[in-house]
Amino acid sequence: MSHEGIRFVSEDEAKRGDLAARELPKEAIEPERVKVHKTEGTGMEIDWKDGHHSSWSFKWLRDGCPCATCNEEREREGRKPGEPKAAPKELLPFYKAPPLPEKVTPVGRYAVSFGWNDGHTSGIYSWDYLRRHCLCEACRGSLV
């Protein structure tokens, strides 16, 4: 059940230990080191204080933007964070530049924000959000 972007977790979900329902340990959502490969145009990596390593491509990060507008659009279309929009059915598709951040800004001690080359700037990627959407083999089965 949800209401205007707020997800209410049932007791059953919490008991099952779903990743979305459980609180992560502090070390799991505190970065030891954050590397944003802006010059290379490849993506971002985080080494977490609990020893885990995560990485995301810029494409995944742009498609997984956690802002309210992008989140509502994904929910309407039935897409998960990081899942791209369906390609338009055009006879001759136009070239679309790959997503690259023009600006990367820390947000307090809890998040990072990107100013994307398509003009989008409203997503705040919290450490909690990024850890819950880790794409490594071990975490892949626990994605929200």
Side-chain angles (χ1 to χ4, degrees):
M1 170 197 230
S2 45
H3 177 67
E4 296 195 30
I6 298 171
R7 181 171 182 252
F8 294 97
V9 178
S10 71
E11 285 185 42
D12 289 337
E13 285 178 301
K15 286 178 185 172
R16 282 197 315 265
D18 291 346
L19 186 56
R22 66 181 171 174
E23 189 171 328
L24 295 173
K26 185 177 179 183
E27 302 80 32
I29 56 173
E30 283 189 2
E32 183 78 35
R33 180 175 44 232
V34 178
K35 294 181 193 174
V36 179
H37 301 285
K38 185 178 168 190
T39 305
E40 299 90 339
T42 55
M44 181 171 74
E45 297 179 50
I46 297 178
D47 291 322
W48 303 97
K49 285 190 176 178
D50 68 353
H52 194 76
H53 177 81
S54 304
S55 63
W56 305 265
S57 68
F58 287 136
K59 179 167 180 15
W60 190 97
L61 290 166
R62 180 59 186 93
D63 288 336
C65 177
C67 81
T69 302
C70 292
N71 191 48
E72 287 173 10
E73 180 181 279
R74 270 195 310 276
E75 284 181 359
R76 228 182 6 259
E77 296 173 3
R79 293 183 293 122
K80 294 179 181 178
E83 192 175 320
K85 296 178 186 178
K89 295 180 177 142
E90 301 169 345
L91 186 55
L92 297 171
F94 288 99
Y95 172 77
K96 182 179 176 186
L100 294 171
E102 293 177 340
K103 186 176 181 182
V104 181
T105 309
V107 180
R109 299 177 138 226
Y110 72 94
V112 65
S113 179
F114 297 97
W116 296 103
N117 58 341
D118 65 0
H120 190 67
T121 59
S122 56
I124 296 175
Y125 299 75
S126 71
W127 305 136
D128 185 85
Y129 176 83
L130 290 166
R131 182 61 186 260
R132 289 177 190 278
H133 292 88
C134 177
L135 302 175
C136 80
E137 196 66 39
C139 296
R140 197 169 292 155
S142 302
L143 295 178
V144 249

